[in-house]
Amino acid sequence: MTQFLLLILDVVALAAKLYPDVVAAIHAIQTSTTTSEEERVQALEALRAQLTNDVARVAAVTFKDV
Amino acid sequence: MTVQRAAMAGAVLWLALLWGGLAGCASAKPALVVSGTTLHVAADTFVETAALMDKALDTGAVTPAQYAAWSTFGRRYQVAYPLAVKAWEIAVQTDGSASTQTAAETISALVSELAAFYVQASLAITRPPGGTP
């Protein structure tokens, strides 16, 4: 029973951690289906700039020697 | 065992969310907005997982072998991520094409593995070594 409760707490904690990503994904889906063509083009341009920055952030990650 | 089950559940949940978003879009631009956002979220998750794994190794919450598996995956991710972004950019330039699907498939494969490491690191940090199995 205790292990079951701990598992529930784990799932709740993970849901809380993932919450901003879930919100972002839902927002993207809403944006993609409800906005005008011009707004979509602007969203794609903003994403392109963001992803350029993301590529640099991913490349900057380092790993420890084990 | 609990950690492995939770990791698997997290990975499945994550993938279901991403594919649900992609599958809901029939035309090119909406799908590109969703896949671009997915790529952005995947970068955030990778950077956060890296920080969690470093912390978990420092505190003994993950073993060197577990960290080595993460490190191997992470280096592969660093090679694949820019290629996925490039495929996405080509898809944007061509207003949607086969590369849209390529970008989605590439990032989906990466994210499924990344989600498992993310959950593993999150659980390891929140639970002391030798705690609940």
Side-chain angles (χ1 to χ4, degrees):
Chain A
M1 185 62 177
T2 303
Q3 286 193 359
F4 176 74
L5 289 175
L6 283 173
L7 180 61
I8 296 295
L9 285 175
D10 285 341
V11 172
V12 171
L14 285 170
K17 278 180 180 289
L18 290 172
Y19 179 74
D21 293 341
V22 172
V23 170
I26 291 171
H27 179 70
I29 293 166
Q30 287 177 330
T31 300
S32 64
T33 54
T34 62
T35 58
S36 68
E37 183 73 5
E38 186 182 345
E39 285 171 322
R40 285 178 193 156
V41 170
Q42 288 174 353
L44 287 174
E45 281 304 313
L47 271 172
R48 193 203 301 256
Q50 180 65 63
L51 290 176
T52 300
N53 184 44
D54 288 340
V55 167
R57 290 170 59 223
V58 166
V61 167
T62 57
F63 303 95
K64 294 173 181 284
D65 292 325
V66 290
Chain B
M1 190 61 76
T2 301
V3 173
Q4 289 168 345
R5 277 204 306 262
M8 187 65 72
V12 170
L13 177 71
W14 186 264
L15 270 182
L17 173 70
L18 296 183
W19 277 116
L22 289 174
C25 303
S27 60
K29 278 193 175 62
L32 288 168
V33 171
V34 174
S35 57
T37 303
T38 301
L39 281 166
H40 172 56
V41 171
D44 276 351
T45 306
F46 179 73
V47 172
E48 188 180 346
T49 304
L52 286 172
M53 274 295 191
D54 283 355
K55 186 178 174 186
L57 181 69
D58 290 343
T59 59
V62 295
T63 65
Q66 288 173 315
Y67 188 88
W70 154 249
S71 176
T72 300
F73 165 76
R75 292 176 207 281
R76 195 155 49 87
Y77 191 97
Q78 285 179 313
V79 173
Y81 186 81
L83 298 177
V85 170
K86 191 69 186 170
W88 181 86
E89 286 176 344
I90 290 170
V92 171
Q93 288 165 1
T94 58
D95 198 23
S97 66
S99 66
T100 308
Q101 188 67 20
T102 303
E105 287 172 359
T106 303
I107 204 63
S108 174
L110 287 171
V111 165
S112 65
E113 259 188 280
L114 177 60
F117 281 111
Y118 178 85
V119 175
Q120 180 187 40
S122 297
L123 293 181
I125 289 292
T126 56
R127 192 169 290 171
T132 305

